[in-house]
Amino acid sequence: VDDSIESIMEMGIAKASYLSKWAGGLGGSWTQVRGLGAIIKGTGGRSNGVIPFLKIHNDMLVAVNQGGKRNGSGAVYLEVWHSDIYSFIELRRNTGDERRRTHDTNTAVWIPDLFMKRVLNREHWTLFHSNEVSDLHHLYGQEFEKRYLEYEELAEKGVIYGKRVEAIDLWRNILRMLYETGHPWITFKDACNYGNPQDHVGVIHSSNLCTEITLNTSNDEVAVCNLGSVVLDTHVDDNGVINEDLLARTIKIAIRALDNVIDINFYPIPEAERSNKLHRPIGLGVMGLHYALYKAGIPYDSDEATQFGEKLIETVSYYAHYYSVLLSKEKGAYSTFEGSKWSKGWLPCDYINILEEKRGLPTGINGISCNQDRWKELRRLIKMYGIRNSNVMAIAPTATIANIMGTSPSTEPLFTNLYVKSNFSGDFVIWNHYLEDYLRKHNLWQDNVIKLIVYYDGDIEKALKGLVDEDTFSYFCTMFKTAFQVSQFRLIEQAAYRQKWIDQSQSLNIFYSGNSLKELSEIYLYAWQRGLKTTYYLRTIGASRIEKSTVHKSEIAPEQNETYLQPACRLDDPNCESCQ
């Protein structure tokens, strides 16, 4: 959205409503809209800033739902040097002036490396009126840093507006609001652009509604990305071995299908059609990683899981890009292929090296190498035939479709082993059927155990404590850790290893059960240091609980039920007195 009333109302409101009507999930950059108090040359007055327009955008999403079937959904992005940033990060707050709140819009901050470095070094940070520093939003990396320092000098001399704050103070305010409301999401501008294969024709100014899409946008291009996800656990054999032949066949069909959508799709606005047909990006993702780990007998919170997960994503990445190349051989490369990173022999795993070189800091990411023979061959094929799609992979959140497919969401650990999901169709009990399988194998699938699991909201540690021997207890607690029990540093590390193989990004929720701002800061600093491009919601333990109306406390409480500590057994065991 440009800094003019025409762009704000036409692109930011009107055309956004057309997209919302046709079930579009919106992500937009509002950084170029000038901040509160900036001079309006045409009238000589002063601007009310970006916040009132975001309020209008929010109300548009409420008014124009997705085809009358779902609420409108949108995310708005603002760079952290914008003069309205402090007001922006409070948009989702439940207190304060309701005229400056957007309860139905997701918010995200677009953060350059320079800000993160100043947070680490406890240095100052300068906020600007974006209309006076109009080129900053289009720059990244060293070019951004050079220009930003020049603008800081001009601000110190009083030539332009500049408000000096402490970087750590702004960072803490972002984290406080994130903890309180789950917003703003934290996304990293430079990382997104360093990994952009299309840097020869544009700049990534923001991500999308769910932070997994990293595509160029401009005045005449609205980025579009068709998404689909492979169910990983159905491509892992019962012995835990990846069925690569089956995975290859699935991906071959998926890539062709996603590419076909580009040509047959309906586009509500010309800017979307122009962009999509020019660059032909698609976003093949995955779901069912946690279920795949169950099949392999690997705990999510383990080094083995990191290695297994990277191998899976590396395999998906190879075939996704390989079949996009074969489509290019058949139908031709996308129109802006020449001059792209692809045309110069780049592959997604080269992103980490570029990031470390540009940033001057190590990520600590290593492991599988792109120097394997098949990746060398893929580089050769891309140079020979091009590639059909400017971008090929992105890992989206898949909460509802994962439930439909009977698998685990995206690449995340399970939220819990038992919970109630609510949507427009009603309430559904979601149950970890792998837990049931494991309980049956250990002769623990019985009424009192089930009631304990329900009572403790799927928490296996609490449910089995004192009920089984120490080895069995330790095994179940390790194998069935849920999202809030898994180390968030482990979660980020696994995402960082996946990022090596993804040419866009991934929706990564952070699950935090503590209340320490320092620890929260360490988690997000770790995400930046490890080379993640984006993060998604900060999830805290909420009020969602499984219905317990059929379980009375007297049925499970050890002080009221002497059978609580009886050895477990199978309900259908003919030799067991309890079963009989």
Side-chain angles (χ1 to χ4, degrees):
V1 180
D2 277 345
D3 184 40
S4 68
I5 194 65
E6 291 80 12
S7 177
I8 293 169
M9 301 310 295
E10 290 176 15
M11 180 61 75
I13 308 300
K15 291 188 176 181
S17 71
Y18 306 155
L19 293 167
S20 183
K21 173 186 176 181
W22 293 102
L26 311 178
S29 169
W30 290 74
T31 295
Q32 293 187 116
V33 178
R34 71 189 69 190
L36 179 66
I39 295 174
I40 304 171
K41 290 183 178 179
T43 64
R46 293 190 177 272
S47 171
N48 285 325
V50 69
I51 304 301
F53 294 115
L54 294 179
K55 175 64 173 173
I56 298 173
H57 180 269
N58 177 87
D59 294 344
M60 177 277 294
L61 291 174
V62 175
V64 186
N65 58 21
Q66 299 185 24
K69 298 177 180 178
R70 293 178 16 157
N71 294 332
S73 298
V76 292
Y77 289 73
L78 202 74
E79 287 210 46
V80 291
W81 50 260
H82 193 284
S83 58
D84 284 353
I85 188 64
Y86 278 93
S87 297
F88 177 83
I89 62 180
E90 293 193 343
L91 281 172
R92 291 290 298 249
R93 201 168 194 176
N94 291 320
T95 59
D97 187 351
E98 280 298 308
R99 293 170 297 180
R100 299 180 67 81
R101 296 291 180 263
T102 59
H103 300 296
D104 303 283
T105 301
N106 301 296
T107 60
V109 283
W110 196 235
I111 300 178
D113 286 346
L114 181 61
F115 176 76
M116 299 304 293
K117 291 175 182 177
R118 290 194 175 183
V119 168
L120 286 172
N121 296 328
R122 301 296 194 270
E123 296 174 339
H124 74 272
W125 184 247
T126 306
L127 308 180
F128 298 108
H129 284 152
S130 56
N131 62 308
E132 296 182 320
V133 295
S134 57
D135 57 338
L136 272 188
H137 192 40
H138 309 295
L139 301 175
Y140 60 92
Q142 294 176 352
E143 291 183 357
F144 171 87
E145 292 190 15
K146 179 182 177 182
R147 193 69 173 132
Y148 185 88
L149 294 175
E150 292 175 355
Y151 281 130
E152 280 193 318
E153 291 183 5
L154 291 176
E156 289 177 4
K157 296 176 181 177
V159 177
I160 61 173
Y161 171 88
K163 181 180 179 181
R164 185 165 170 164
V165 299
E166 294 303 315
I168 190 68
D169 175 71
L170 177 53
W171 178 245
R172 285 170 178 157
N173 274 273
I174 291 171
L175 294 177
R176 284 192 190 99
M177 286 300 102
L178 188 61
Y179 182 80
E180 181 179 328
T181 68
H183 296 81
W185 304 332
I186 293 177
T187 58
F188 303 113
K189 172 184 182 178
D190 291 342
C192 289
N193 278 284
Y194 289 147
N196 180 16
Q198 288 292 99
D199 57 356
H200 67 305
V201 290
V203 174
I204 301 169
H205 293 103
S206 72
S207 186
N208 67 318
L209 174 63
C210 305
T211 76
E212 81 277 13
I213 303 304
T214 53
L215 299 173
N216 297 340
T217 53
S218 64
N219 291 341
D220 57 357
E221 288 189 17
V222 170
V224 181
C225 198
N226 309 313
L227 303 175
S229 299
V230 176
V231 183
L232 290 178
D233 51 299
T234 60
H235 297 82
V236 174
D237 296 334
D238 290 336
N239 58 2
V241 176
I242 300 169
N243 189 331
E244 195 162 325
D245 290 339
L246 178 60
L247 194 57
R249 290 200 299 273
T250 300
I251 293 171
K252 180 180 181 180
I253 295 168
I255 295 298
R256 182 177 290 272
L258 289 172
D259 184 70
N260 285 344
V261 171
I262 295 169
D263 297 314
I264 64 176
N265 211 356
F266 168 72
Y267 298 92
I269 61 174
E271 292 87 348
E273 182 173 14
R274 181 185 303 115
S275 173
N276 208 213
K277 291 186 174 179
L278 197 62
H279 313 298
R280 306 188 68 85
I282 59 175
L284 184 70
V286 297
M287 53 182 159
L289 176 60
H290 202 168
Y291 273 16
L293 290 168
Y294 283 140
K295 284 186 98 171
I298 300 172
Y300 194 102
D301 195 356
S302 67
D303 291 336
E304 193 178 0
T306 302
Q307 296 161 9
F308 183 82
E310 185 186 4
K311 178 61 179 176
L312 260 175
I313 300 301
E314 184 263 345
T315 306
V316 172
S317 179
Y318 169 75
Y319 285 112
H321 291 92
Y322 174 75
Y323 285 117
S324 182
V325 172
L326 292 193
L327 273 184
S328 181
K329 181 181 177 182
E330 175 187 338
K331 298 182 177 182
Y334 70 94
S335 60
T336 54
F337 169 76
E338 292 301 329
S340 68
K341 283 189 171 82
W342 301 112
S343 69
K344 300 172 184 177
W346 178 87
L347 288 173
C349 61
D350 295 325
Y351 156 73
I352 291 295
N353 293 331
I354 295 173
L355 180 70
E356 291 181 340
E357 178 186 346
K358 297 289 188 181
R359 227 183 236 177
L361 296 170
T363 61
I365 301 299
N366 47 42
I368 301 171
S369 171
C370 263
N371 291 324
Q372 297 172 12
D373 288 342
R374 66 178 180 178
W375 286 103
K376 290 180 181 178
E377 176 64 9
L378 185 60
R379 290 184 198 267
R380 187 186 71 82
L381 291 174
I382 292 174
K383 285 189 175 182
M384 182 180 298
Y385 301 115
I387 192 167
R388 180 67 173 167
N389 312 100
S390 66
N391 299 77
V392 179
M393 284 190 69
I395 298 181
T398 61
T400 300
I401 59 174
N403 294 149
I404 293 170
M405 294 303 298
T407 190
S408 56
S410 192
T411 55
E412 297 176 352
L414 290 182
F415 173 75
T416 184
N417 290 299
L418 183 66
Y419 64 98
V420 173
K421 179 180 178 68
S422 300
N423 59 25
F424 286 107
S425 299
D427 294 341
F428 304 88
V429 176
I430 307 299
W431 166 250
N432 180 0
H433 65 84
Y434 279 99
L435 173 59
E436 178 181 340
D437 293 341
Y438 276 72
L439 287 170
R440 287 185 184 276
K441 289 176 184 177
H442 287 77
N443 296 326
L444 287 166
W445 185 248
Q446 56 179 300
D447 189 54
N448 68 317
V449 175
I450 295 169
K451 287 179 177 179
L452 284 165
I453 294 171
V454 172
Y455 184 79
Y456 288 115
D457 300 307
D459 189 325
I460 295 303
E461 184 175 351
K462 292 179 180 178
L464 295 185
K465 187 175 183 180
L467 187 67
V468 296
D469 61 79
E470 187 174 333
D471 289 342
T472 303
F473 179 74
S474 177
Y475 172 79
F476 271 90
C477 289
T478 301
M479 181 59 69
F480 290 96
K481 279 186 178 181
T482 53
F484 289 102
Q485 296 168 330
V486 169
S487 165
Q488 297 309 291
F489 295 98
R490 174 83 69 186
L491 191 76
I492 290 167
E493 180 184 46
Q494 292 184 7
Y497 277 99
R498 289 193 298 268
Q499 189 63 73
K500 283 176 59 177
W501 307 103
I502 306 169
D503 53 53
Q504 294 197 68
S505 189
Q506 50 194 318
S507 295
L508 181 72
N509 289 313
I510 301 297
F511 300 88
Y512 184 61
S513 58
N515 56 12
S516 167
L517 199 65
K518 180 177 183 295
E519 186 176 18
L520 199 59
S521 177
E522 290 171 350
I523 289 171
Y524 280 96
L525 284 169
Y526 189 71
W528 172 72
Q529 290 164 342
R530 289 299 238 179
L532 294 192
K533 295 179 179 180
T534 59
T535 63
Y536 198 26
Y537 282 98
L538 173 66
R539 307 287 189 183
T540 54
I541 296 178
S544 297
R545 292 292 184 266
I546 192 71
E547 175 59 51
K548 302 186 182 69
S549 60
T550 59
V551 181
H552 191 272
K553 186 177 180 181
S554 63
E555 294 183 85
I556 59 90
E559 68 274 12
Q560 298 181 24
N561 188 354
E562 294 300 325
T563 63
Y564 173 75
L565 294 179
Q566 292 299 313
C569 62
R570 292 180 56 181
L571 294 177
D572 57 352
D573 188 349
N575 298 316
C576 175
E577 291 183 2
S578 297
C579 290
Q580 292 173 354

